[in-house]
Amino acid sequence: MLGLLDVAYRKMVASGKFILQIAALVLLNAAISLSQQTDSSAYYINLARQYLFSRDTLTAEKLLEKSVEKFEEPEIYYLLGKLKSVKKDFGERNRAYRFLRKAALLEPGNLKYRLAYASILKDFARVSAYWEYKEILKLDSTSIEAYLNLAELKDEDFTNYNNSYRKLSDEFYASLQEYANEDFEEAEKYYREALSIDSVNYEANYKLALLYMKAGDYEKAAGLLQRLYSSEKKDAKINLALGLCYYKLRNFMESRRFYTRAFRYMAPEEREEYDYESAVKMLQPVFDEAMGDNEYKKKRFIKFYWEVNDPLYLTEYNERLLEHYSRLTFANLFLNNDEKKGWQTDRGEIILRYGEPLNIMRIRPSMGEAGYEMKTDVWNYDEFSFGFTDMALNDNFIFSAPPADKEKVISQYAFNSHEFIQYLRKSYYSRYAPVYEGNEFTIPKKTFYFRSLSYPSKTEMHIVFRIPDSLKKKTGSLKMETGFFFFDEYHNQLAKIVENKNFETAKAFNEFVAVLEPDSGYYSFELIENTSRSTCVTRGALNVPDFGKSLSISSLVLTDSVYFNGEGILKRRPYSVNPHTEDTVEGKIFLYYEIYNLLKKKDGIAEFRQNIKITRSEDGAGFISAIKNLFSNRNSITLTNKYKTDRSDIHLFIRLDMRALESGKYDVVVEIEDLNAKKSVNTKLQLYLLQRASNQ
């Protein structure tokens, strides 16, 4: 009777329903009253449960302490062991270990006792815990808890030994990767066993996904997390992990979607870490003055910082910000310790600032001549390396530093990372190489400026470029998202042109035209191929010239031909040309340009002189070459012409025959003298002349 009431009590308490919980108390009291012996083990057990139900754990523990001296009852040992196992005091946890071990020995067929004993064994003897869980599976081959714990033990071993080396001497290290790979396979097997019993088990799916992420297999991880997401859409933890997976898989739209959902459902203080605290940590101390001394100013500066550092304005999302979220998420998933969240640790700071390292070398602890050499991580980047040492053997890796005098616990990294990061925080606070959804490509291009034919007060900017062979298709056309963005020095947008354009791949040249107000700032010219998402971004300073009122010259254009129709890609009525997108020319070449705002006399005639001088560039030429130029007529050409015209703005082209010049780098200077206004203006370009043997 007492046993039946005990079962009913457990079920009612587990139901979570208030009425049933009250009924459980009544049943529990009935069970106690039915006990004929108030000094029996059953009496103490049920009374302790009553106290536990009312959350009076202290009284329950005292009662069980008293009863354990009287009765050799496994349930008493079990309850007392569970109470003491949650305490942080080592002595109390040691007593918990003894009590749970006693319960398992007294009743070896009881899975509840065996699982509790195996759980606390993990803190005292991990190998013994492993074999205890194996024994439990012999009792019950469907125990998900046993499979999960076996998987976690091997998961921890994989984490600990992945990229690890054993020091054999100062010069030689032995890789332990083979053992790490075995641990990975075993952990994966046990997680899979748990999922074969319960395919939607939260813990098995989530932890197996993290195991795959640690191994770099984000596609498998995403599949498992999506399984959980179908029933746990409001779980911030799952959304964060999916955001990281899709970022690594270069599906940035999905990555942003899951990060956005994660922010919606996470606690406000965690959201503050993503939006504010982590950014402040990264940007200090470089931008202390710019950020200001209060939270509002800092948040405004951080928002501005992310906007300026967006590497691709064409997309709806900010790739740099997604990278920041992914770095922080990675650190929190894999670099936590008992004291700090992952991004707050020393290793987490480096992830936040510089991303994941190219490679990691973990050196196992060993006894050396100078003392005990602690477990040390060495992270290698292109430009530098960092060392982190687990000085307390608690997985709290801190920046490595040389040992103090007579110190016997030492790092295995020779340099002082603690001092190095203090220098880098001020001089090289962050590192980011843009990553796009598709492959990155470059284009040979040239930018030319002319007065607008339709809006004389504005300037036409022509970007002429070649499509790389890797993108050309047999269809003859290529559809691309095209964007041009122009900002002033304060990041105020001066121009934005976004188009979906079809480019003809058979053409030698393609062109993008923008009509702009004269101004200075910086620009971004962006192309995204619609199918492969291959991306090209070119950025830099931009000074849009003003051709409005004063005497001025357009850009100088090198071209093989000048057309009197629309055959050329760059159209300037009545002419059109196909500009060179590279600076190398051979022998003969046309030079095209335009002159604006010539002064006409009362008779309506403008008069000007054109001086073109082509001289060998002395950049890096050296003393001997400079002396040679003084006595050689094969290193310069001067052309002078005088013109009269009835127009203030004229288009000019001239054929340059440079076959008499030697190969090399040349400056081409065009000077225009307005003879009526007594003013002059000049501009220049630089080219590299490549002479063929037949041209010499």
Side-chain angles (χ1 to χ4, degrees):
M1 181 67 175
L2 186 60
L4 291 174
L5 289 173
D6 183 45
V7 170
Y9 159 77
R10 291 187 196 181
K11 288 185 177 180
M12 290 178 180
V13 169
S15 72
K17 295 182 179 179
F18 179 73
I19 294 176
L20 290 179
Q21 288 177 343
I22 296 298
L25 279 175
V26 174
L27 283 172
L28 183 59
N29 286 320
I32 296 169
S33 66
L34 284 172
S35 176
Q36 296 298 316
Q37 298 179 354
T38 58
D39 200 28
S40 68
S41 62
Y43 170 79
Y44 282 101
I45 290 169
N46 285 291
L47 187 57
R49 284 178 180 160
Q50 187 174 10
Y51 286 123
L52 289 173
F53 179 83
S54 61
R55 294 184 175 82
D56 188 354
T57 56
L58 185 60
T59 303
E61 187 174 350
K62 287 180 178 178
L63 184 66
L64 291 168
E65 290 271 18
K66 180 180 177 182
S67 63
V68 80
E69 298 173 359
K70 295 183 179 182
F71 307 105
E72 193 85 346
E73 172 59 51
E75 185 68 12
I76 294 176
Y77 285 115
Y78 167 75
L79 291 172
L80 196 51
K82 291 289 285 183
L83 282 171
K84 293 186 177 296
S85 67
V86 298
K87 298 185 178 182
K88 294 183 178 180
D89 180 74
F90 178 79
E92 289 292 274
R93 288 184 59 76
N94 190 47
R95 293 188 70 198
Y97 162 75
R98 297 204 313 271
F99 288 137
L100 292 172
R101 179 175 181 272
K102 187 72 172 178
L105 288 173
L106 288 173
E107 199 171 323
N110 188 308
L111 286 175
K112 179 177 72 173
Y113 300 158
R114 296 290 292 270
L115 286 167
Y117 172 53
S119 178
I120 201 164
L121 260 180
K122 290 193 293 184
D123 294 337
F124 291 91
R126 293 181 77 258
V127 175
S128 297
Y130 174 83
W131 290 109
E132 180 66 13
Y133 283 118
K134 297 281 279 188
E135 289 298 314
I136 289 170
L137 287 175
K138 291 179 182 178
L139 295 173
D140 180 7
S141 61
T142 64
S143 173
I144 291 179
E145 186 176 346
Y147 282 121
L148 284 176
N149 277 280
L150 283 168
E152 288 168 16
L153 286 167
K154 286 299 166 183
D155 193 336
E156 291 169 9
D157 288 341
F158 169 70
T159 302
N160 208 15
Y161 282 89
N162 191 34
N163 302 312
S164 283
Y165 294 81
R166 179 78 66 192
K167 183 178 179 181
L168 302 180
S169 69
D170 289 340
E171 293 82 21
F172 297 103
Y173 294 82
S175 173
L176 303 178
Q177 193 61 43
E178 179 182 351
Y179 304 105
N181 293 342
E182 291 174 359
D183 291 330
F184 173 86
E185 291 171 4
E186 200 168 351
E188 181 187 32
K189 180 184 74 173
Y190 290 130
Y191 282 132
R192 289 290 180 190
E193 290 284 358
L195 289 172
S196 70
I197 300 167
D198 179 6
S199 63
V200 294
N201 183 277
Y202 183 99
E203 193 174 357
N205 277 290
Y206 184 71
K207 290 187 174 179
L208 180 55
L210 295 188
L211 177 67
Y212 285 137
M213 291 166 76
K214 282 185 279 189
D217 194 339
Y218 288 92
E219 192 166 354
K220 283 185 179 178
L224 292 164
L225 293 167
Q226 283 284 10
R227 181 188 295 174
L228 289 178
Y229 175 77
S230 62
S231 59
E232 303 285 347
K233 288 183 171 60
K234 296 183 179 181
D235 189 317
K237 190 166 67 171
I238 293 172
N239 280 287
L240 279 176
L242 278 167
L244 175 58
C245 282
Y246 283 113
Y247 183 80
K248 291 291 187 178
L249 294 170
R250 293 193 179 189
N251 187 339
F252 296 153
M253 190 69 79
E254 283 293 273
S255 177
R256 184 186 69 160
R257 182 169 76 90
F258 283 111
Y259 279 132
T260 301
R261 290 186 63 86
F263 298 151
R264 187 183 307 157
Y265 300 121
M266 66 175 47
E269 56 271 18
E270 186 178 6
R271 177 67 191 272
E272 192 78 349
E273 292 175 2
Y274 273 84
D275 285 346
Y276 175 66
E277 293 175 15
S278 59
V280 170
K281 183 182 182 74
M282 182 185 73
L283 297 175
Q284 286 180 326
V286 176
F287 296 106
D288 261 351
E289 187 174 340
M291 284 194 291
D293 55 1
N294 63 61
E295 187 173 318
Y296 171 75
K297 289 180 179 178
K298 287 179 179 178
K299 286 186 174 180
R300 189 173 61 178
F301 177 84
I302 289 166
K303 182 176 182 293
F304 175 76
Y305 176 86
W306 293 132
E307 288 174 355
V308 170
N309 286 278
D310 185 350
L312 187 62
Y313 298 121
L314 264 180
T315 55
E316 299 175 19
Y317 39 81
N318 183 329
E319 287 83 355
R320 178 63 184 94
L321 191 53
L322 286 178
E323 170 78 14
H324 180 74
Y325 293 156
S326 298
R327 290 178 179 184
L328 196 152
T329 302
F330 180 91
N332 282 350
L333 286 175
F334 304 118
L335 301 177
N336 288 328
N337 60 46
D338 292 338
E339 299 175 6
K340 297 178 180 179
K341 289 186 175 182
W343 72 273
Q344 297 168 327
T345 65
D346 287 353
R347 291 185 299 172
E349 179 183 354
I350 298 305
I351 291 290
L352 207 62
R353 292 183 182 279
Y354 310 114
E356 294 176 47
L358 291 175
N359 57 72
I360 295 173
M361 180 180 182
R362 170 165 290 182
I363 308 171
R364 305 301 304 170
S366 62
M367 182 59 74
E369 293 181 2
Y372 190 74
E373 298 177 338
M374 305 301 288
K375 182 166 58 178
T376 301
D377 274 10
V378 180
W379 288 14
N380 296 308
Y381 293 81
D382 282 328
E383 308 94 326
F384 40 63
S385 297
F386 294 98
F388 308 91
T389 305
D390 184 6
M391 298 299 289
L393 296 176
N394 62 351
D395 284 336
N396 182 16
F397 286 82
I398 60 174
F399 289 117
S400 299
D405 290 342
K406 298 182 180 180
E407 189 173 2
K408 296 300 180 183
V409 179
I410 60 177
S411 169
Q412 297 189 70
Y413 184 67
F415 304 101
N416 193 331
S417 289
H418 178 74
E419 286 188 359
F420 186 46
I421 187 58
Q422 293 182 57
Y423 163 76
L424 287 180
R425 284 175 186 142
K426 297 179 181 180
S427 62
Y428 190 43
Y429 68 94
S430 179
R431 172 184 179 273
Y432 169 67
V435 178
Y436 308 111
E437 284 191 311
N439 295 326
E440 187 174 5
F441 67 93
T442 58
I443 52 172
K445 71 175 183 68
K446 283 286 185 182
T447 305
F448 305 98
Y449 300 98
F450 303 93
R451 172 184 274 176
S452 171
L453 297 173
S454 303
Y455 306 96
S457 64
K458 296 184 179 182
T459 300
E460 277 186 19
M461 182 191 70
H462 295 250
I463 299 175
V464 179
F465 60 93
R466 294 177 184 266
I467 293 174
D469 292 338
S470 60
L471 288 182
K472 290 183 178 179
K473 298 181 178 180
K474 295 179 181 179
T475 55
S477 65
L478 197 66
K479 195 168 187 179
M480 288 194 189
E481 294 175 54
T482 308
F484 175 80
F485 306 86
F486 185 26
F487 302 91
D488 67 14
E489 59 180 320
Y490 303 106
H491 199 66
N492 297 309
Q493 193 172 86
L494 302 176
K496 175 183 177 181
I497 303 170
V498 176
E499 301 172 337
N500 254 309
K501 295 189 69 173
N502 280 313
F503 293 101
E504 296 183 32
T505 56
K507 283 187 175 181
F509 305 95
N510 282 277
E511 182 188 40
F512 179 86
V513 181
V515 178
L516 306 171
E517 295 282 358
D519 211 327
S520 62
Y522 65 95
Y523 79 98
S524 182
F525 178 57
E526 302 172 0
L527 299 170
I528 302 177
E529 198 276 313
N530 285 14
T531 304
S532 66
R533 305 299 292 171
S534 294
T535 301
C536 173
V537 178
T538 56
R539 291 186 169 179
L542 184 64
N543 186 14
V544 181
D546 186 353
F547 300 125
K549 295 179 180 179
S550 60
L551 178 67
S552 51
I553 309 173
S554 72
S555 297
L556 303 180
V557 183
L558 295 172
T559 179
D560 292 323
S561 301
V562 178
Y563 304 99
F564 291 92
N565 51 42
E567 192 172 335
I569 188 72
L570 196 160
K571 296 173 175 57
R572 299 294 299 169
R573 293 192 304 265
Y575 305 115
S576 66
V577 297
N578 286 327
H580 275 217
T581 56
E582 297 171 352
D583 296 324
T584 302
V585 300
E586 297 178 6
K588 297 179 181 180
I589 194 79
F590 280 99
L591 182 66
Y592 174 87
Y593 61 96
E594 298 173 8
I595 305 170
Y596 308 117
N597 305 311
L598 289 165
L599 180 65
K600 291 191 285 187
K601 289 185 176 180
K602 292 181 180 180
D603 60 1
I605 300 298
E607 188 175 1
F608 68 94
R609 181 182 293 111
Q610 167 192 268
N611 300 308
I612 300 176
K613 191 169 185 179
I614 304 171
T615 57
R616 184 73 175 265
S617 174
E618 295 183 7
D619 292 346
F623 176 76
I624 294 176
S625 180
I627 294 297
K628 182 180 177 182
N629 289 345
L630 292 175
F631 300 98
S632 173
N633 61 0
R634 300 189 64 196
N635 290 291
S636 67
I637 294 176
T638 300
L639 302 172
T640 300
N641 295 291
K642 193 174 179 181
Y643 297 91
K644 290 184 178 182
T645 178
D646 60 355
R647 290 177 293 167
S648 297
D649 303 337
I650 64 169
H651 302 228
L652 287 176
F653 61 90
I654 185 169
R655 186 161 194 174
L656 303 176
D657 187 347
M658 295 184 288
R659 289 177 295 177
L661 300 179
E662 296 177 340
S663 295
K665 188 185 290 185
Y666 287 84
D667 293 322
V668 179
V669 178
V670 175
E671 181 187 38
I672 300 298
E673 296 178 68
D674 187 333
L675 300 176
N676 293 338
K678 302 290 193 268
K679 293 181 179 179
S680 66
V681 65
N682 66 74
T683 188
K684 75 174 185 177
L685 61 77
Q686 198 169 69
L687 59 82
Y688 188 86
L689 180 62
L690 181 64
Q691 295 287 21
R692 296 180 182 272
S694 59
N695 291 334
Q696 299 296 329

